[in-house]
Amino acid sequence: MAFQTNSKIVKWIDRRLPIFSMMHHELYEYQVPKNLNWWYTFGSLAGIILMLQIITGVVLVMHYTPNTELAFDSVEKIMRDVNYGWLMRYMHANGASMFFIAVYIHIFRGLYYGSYKQPRELIWMIGLVILLLMMATAFMGYVLPWGQMSFWGATVITNLFSAFPVIGEALVTWLWGGFTVGNPTLNRFFSLHYLLPFVILGAVVVHLWALHTSGSNNPAGVEIKGKKDWIPFQPYYTAKDMLGFAVFALVFSIFIFYSPDFFGEPDNYIPANPLKTPPHIVPEWYFLPFYAILRAVPDKLGGVLLMFGAILVLFVIPWLDTSKVRSARFRPVYKWWFWVLVFDCLVLGYVGSQPPEGALILIGRLATAYYFLHFLVIMPLVGWFEKPLPVPASIHDAVLADKKAKESADA
Amino acid sequence: MAATNPDESKGEGVERRDFLTIATTAFAGVGIAGAAWPFIDQMNPSADVLALSSAEIDISGIPVGQEITATWRGKPIFIRHRTEEEIAKARADDNNPDLIDPETDAARVQRPEWLIVIGICTHLGCIPLRYQGDYGGWFCPCHGSHYDTAARIRKGPAPKNLYLPPYKFLSDTLIKIG
């Protein structure tokens, strides 16, 4: 059913700028599988959090001063003097963590249900670009309060680039605008931290464009074949996503109002001191698995390459996964490896949070090895050797089978 | 080359138009690269940053066995007044095959009692802690690099010895770095 209206004004506008037709097409005519489960709400949740980050960020900039002499104090002024400044900053700082939680769940959901497989490779790859942009943005944002962790985090991360042969040192000096992290560094990070969220927003639009071209994957991993398989996005998934958002808002509030520094490091409440490194530097939690991979290699360049490789390898998994079946629900062998990978990432996160000593060094190396083996070896091999379970003929059949199974379990 | 009518030479050989297209594209490419350079170079250290390129430091107040941290170009400079024991220990390891970045102690100092190095770990830029680690020199808390009493890397992920700043002794008690 095409867009219809009786309003002359809407008709007049739509004839010249078909924005109403387009929204109608993407919300009412766009076919969404009717069997999406709760794991599928994290995509739209991530989108909402991005908007929250942009709004709170624009507000914070109204009170923040990007200068090494003034930055720390201006953040404290926001916390103590600016009306609701504490709320804006805590929303923004915790919002970053929430954004990564939502996006990491969103990515693992895609991995489990095979959402990266043909024909959705580009949706997946654009998503990875968004992840990389998020990492850069979060890193530069963390530098802005100019506390001890800000300064030394910036020093360690920018020094990663010095590992590259020949151009390394010149590249790092160029990034810093000086011979150490300093005022020029803070200024450019501030500029880019303001810019990149809008680049992310643009990438999200492209992500959704590609999504609305191939359509959403679903837990059964089979395409929409008929009328019984889909429902319109509005009102069904808008309502479901709003409920998801409400639950999220509760969790978010617990952090903001009861434990606002839960994800933070106390050292960042000490002003930056370029002559004293804190005894134990840790990045923000969402970088910990990558940090563990960096430290797993006893060679500087090797560690840096492997760390970047950990994300780059994800770009090629649409071609590394040889299975003809999308959803891990019907992949009895791969399903277990998936959970091993989830566990592996948690182990890497833990190792990254601890000082590199004793058994943790070995555990970090084994976990790093598994991470790469999972994608480069296990994924192609399991796809070849595994005998998948029978895949339902349609989404409708999958829903009926689920219902039947549930009824017999209840009886 | 005789002028050819585009209609006659369709799909054959190099046309005037091909030449013009390539020449125009190349010209525009060089122009864009030239225009991009100011936007890239503006991020390099500015004149005022480069101007702060030397520092004079009075070392008369540093007793034997003590160390101070001075700054040069915003970087920490470790100035250690070494004991006889530390010098001997560093020299004893001059030919140790386990050195990661082999260098003799003599090559790293102008006067044996004064070891002057840039106090930035060559791994990822943290500031190593003095009098710590397995070799009596420095220990980097970030990723566990150990340096000896000549500030040579002995153990851990750092690839190089602590770098030496350019410096000279203006007198027995005054040095100029940079």
Side-chain angles (χ1 to χ4, degrees):
Chain A
M1 62 178 183
F3 173 64
Q4 284 171 337
T5 179
N6 291 323
S7 162
K8 282 197 167 128
I9 297 173
V10 171
K11 274 183 183 161
W12 188 91
I13 295 172
D14 207 59
R15 172 68 183 78
R16 287 151 183 84
L17 178 76
I19 188 162
F20 295 101
S21 305
M22 190 193 84
M23 293 309 290
H24 185 267
H25 180 70
E26 302 304 342
L27 288 172
Y28 290 91
E29 293 168 319
Y30 172 57
Q31 302 179 355
V32 191
K34 66 179 180 180
N35 60 338
L36 300 190
N37 57 26
W38 282 107
W39 298 111
Y40 280 77
T41 55
F42 286 92
S44 73
L45 189 57
I48 294 171
I49 300 172
L50 173 63
M51 295 317 297
L52 278 178
Q53 288 299 93
I54 290 179
I55 293 167
T56 52
V58 167
V59 169
L60 287 171
V61 170
M62 295 182 184
H63 306 280
Y64 170 79
T65 314
N67 179 293
T68 50
E69 300 288 313
L70 304 167
F72 189 89
D73 290 344
S74 75
V75 171
E76 286 309 303
K77 188 192 76 182
I78 289 169
M79 295 300 288
R80 295 159 195 233
D81 298 344
V82 173
N83 299 332
Y84 293 104
W86 58 273
L87 180 62
M88 295 299 142
R89 176 158 179 263
Y90 279 150
M91 281 180 80
H92 198 70
N94 286 284
S97 283
M98 296 297 137
F99 200 2
F100 275 97
I101 292 174
V103 162
Y104 281 149
I105 293 175
H106 187 63
I107 291 171
F108 275 112
R109 188 272 293 155
L111 271 174
Y112 188 82
Y113 293 120
S115 303
Y116 49 86
K117 288 169 81 78
Q118 189 271 339
R120 297 186 178 81
E121 302 93 330
L122 282 180
I123 306 177
W124 173 257
M125 291 162 84
I126 296 158
L128 291 172
V129 170
I130 294 174
L131 176 64
L132 288 170
L133 287 167
M134 278 175 65
M135 289 176 152
T137 310
F139 159 66
M140 290 194 271
Y142 194 60
V143 175
L144 302 184
W146 208 245
Q148 272 290 67
M149 279 296 164
S150 299
F151 184 90
W152 291 102
T155 299
V156 169
I157 300 296
T158 47
N159 260 305
L160 293 178
F161 294 94
S162 73
F164 292 106
V166 188
I167 57 160
E169 291 296 325
L171 184 63
V172 171
T173 303
W174 178 74
L175 285 174
W176 288 339
F179 302 104
T180 54
V181 172
N183 199 50
T185 325
L186 178 62
N187 273 289
R188 63 192 56 180
F189 279 14
F190 175 63
S191 169
L192 294 173
H193 183 72
Y194 205 117
L195 166 74
L196 286 184
F198 298 96
V199 178
I200 294 177
L201 193 61
V204 168
V205 170
V206 179
H207 192 60
L208 290 177
W209 183 10
L211 174 71
H212 280 226
T213 303
S214 296
S216 181
N217 183 32
N218 62 82
V222 291
E223 299 292 341
I224 290 170
K225 283 166 186 155
K227 261 189 187 167
K228 283 179 170 176
D229 291 341
W230 66 275
I231 46 177
F233 196 91
Q234 157 77 6
Y236 298 103
Y237 284 113
T238 32
K240 188 176 180 179
D241 285 349
M242 279 304 118
L243 179 56
F245 173 68
V247 174
F248 159 78
L250 279 175
V251 177
F252 194 27
S253 300
I254 291 171
F255 284 110
I256 294 173
F257 297 111
Y258 294 94
S259 192
D261 288 314
F262 179 82
F263 296 106
E265 283 291 323
D267 273 19
N268 222 27
Y269 283 103
I270 303 169
N273 179 354
L275 297 182
K276 190 172 182 303
T277 305
H280 181 210
I281 294 193
V282 275
E284 290 278 83
W285 69 267
Y286 36 81
F287 292 131
L288 290 175
F290 301 101
Y291 195 58
I293 291 174
L294 169 76
R295 295 194 305 192
V297 191
D299 177 73
K300 186 169 161 182
L301 181 61
V304 172
L305 290 179
L306 214 57
M307 189 184 71
F308 287 118
I311 291 193
L312 294 182
V313 71
L314 296 175
F315 278 89
V316 290
I317 63 165
W319 297 275
L320 288 172
D321 183 354
T322 52
S323 175
K324 291 202 166 59
V325 173
R326 261 194 212 113
S327 172
R329 192 176 269 188
F330 307 107
R331 301 186 58 189
V333 180
Y334 180 74
K335 181 190 268 183
W336 294 106
W337 292 110
F338 170 84
W339 289 110
V340 173
L341 177 73
V342 173
F343 179 71
D344 186 65
C345 289
L346 294 174
V347 169
L348 281 171
Y350 174 75
V351 171
S353 73
Q354 300 298 311
E357 290 161 1
L360 283 175
I361 297 177
L362 182 67
I363 293 171
R365 285 178 185 166
L366 291 175
T368 301
Y370 179 77
Y371 182 90
F372 286 95
L373 284 178
H374 179 91
F375 296 112
L376 296 174
V377 177
I378 293 170
M379 229 180 192
L381 285 186
V382 170
W384 279 106
F385 293 118
E386 177 184 55
K387 189 177 181 299
L389 301 175
V391 173
S394 71
I395 291 171
H396 185 61
D397 285 359
V399 172
L400 286 185
D402 282 352
K403 189 158 182 269
K404 226 171 163 186
K406 193 161 179 279
E407 277 168 0
S408 62
D410 290 346
Chain B
M1 191 172 95
T4 49
N5 185 332
D7 289 340
E8 288 170 9
S9 62
K10 212 171 250 172
E12 278 186 41
V14 181
E15 288 178 40
R16 206 168 95 95
R17 177 153 303 189
D18 292 332
F19 171 78
L20 286 174
T21 306
I22 291 167
T24 311
T25 310
F27 193 77
V30 170
I32 289 168
W37 177 244
F39 291 90
I40 295 168
D41 192 42
Q42 53 84 17
M43 279 174 70
N44 272 319
S46 55
D48 64 318
V49 173
L50 292 172
L52 296 171
S53 57
S54 77
E56 285 184 15
I57 294 147
D58 179 7
I59 54 172
S60 60
I62 312 170
V64 175
Q66 292 296 303
E67 180 185 321
I68 64 158
T69 303
T71 58
W72 169 64
R73 286 180 163 182
K75 296 178 185 195
I77 304 293
F78 293 159
I79 304 177
R80 183 181 282 200
H81 198 166
R82 295 195 296 180
T83 61
E84 289 298 330
E85 192 193 332
E86 284 173 333
I87 298 169
K89 208 170 154 192
R91 294 200 165 160
D93 279 332
D94 273 355
N95 297 312
N96 191 326
D98 293 338
L99 285 180
I100 294 167
D101 180 17
E103 232 182 330
T104 62
D105 183 60
R108 295 181 56 76
V109 291
Q110 292 179 13
R111 299 184 185 189
E113 65 272 30
W114 293 106
L115 178 67
I116 299 168
V117 294
I118 297 176
I120 294 179
C121 182
T122 56
H123 182 228
L124 292 174
C126 297
I127 312 285
L129 303 170
R130 60 186 61 143
Y131 312 124
Q132 289 192 36
D134 298 349
Y135 298 88
W138 290 264
F139 171 71
C140 181
C142 290
H143 307 97
S145 293
H146 298 254
Y147 295 89
D148 66 13
T149 53
R152 289 176 297 211
I153 176 67
R154 300 300 294 269
K155 195 168 117 186
K160 296 281 182 190
N161 303 331
L162 289 189
Y163 291 118
L164 307 175
Y167 67 93
K168 62 182 173 206
F169 281 88
L170 299 177
S171 72
D172 282 351
T173 58
L174 193 66
I175 57 166
K176 183 183 177 192
I177 302 175

